[in-house]
Amino acid sequence: MKINRVEVTPKACEVIEMLKKEHGELVFNQSGGCCDGTAPMCYAKDDFYVPSRNVKLGEICGCEFFMDKDQFEYFRHSQITIDVKEEKAAFGNSFSLEIDLGYQFITKSRIFTDEEYKNLEPI
């Protein structure tokens, strides 16, 4: 069984589906620290140019998920799970689409087990 590098919680998937209905195709990029810290950022696919140095970790809810290659070196041995929290106070305070709905995507990570590491989806 292949192991994914990026997963998503059911609640985050609900928010993603709401955003897809409003904005169409989406893309995610794990921010490297500028402006929004290290938050996963969600954009309409046509509104975000994916830098050539970024690594595609996989897909969540049918949306591509990218990360800067230097940041990927840090997360290489970790599975990332995208979750969401209510964040009413941050309205309009982010470039990520979910913020206007009163949510903020967050990243949780854990180190792969040895067995999982052997079965990772290739990059």
Side-chain angles (χ1 to χ4, degrees), residues 25-68:
E25 287 187 82
L26 305 173
V27 63
F28 281 82
N29 190 65
Q30 179 69 33
S31 174
C34 177
C35 303
D36 285 303
T38 57
M41 304 295 286
C42 178
Y43 304 98
K45 189 166 185 157
D46 291 341
D47 289 344
F48 183 73
Y49 168 77
V50 179
S52 61
R53 63 180 276 118
N54 283 21
V55 175
K56 181 180 174 184
L57 295 186
E59 294 188 7
I60 55 172
C61 303
C63 306
E64 295 177 304
F65 191 98
F66 294 90
M67 177 182 284
D68 177 84

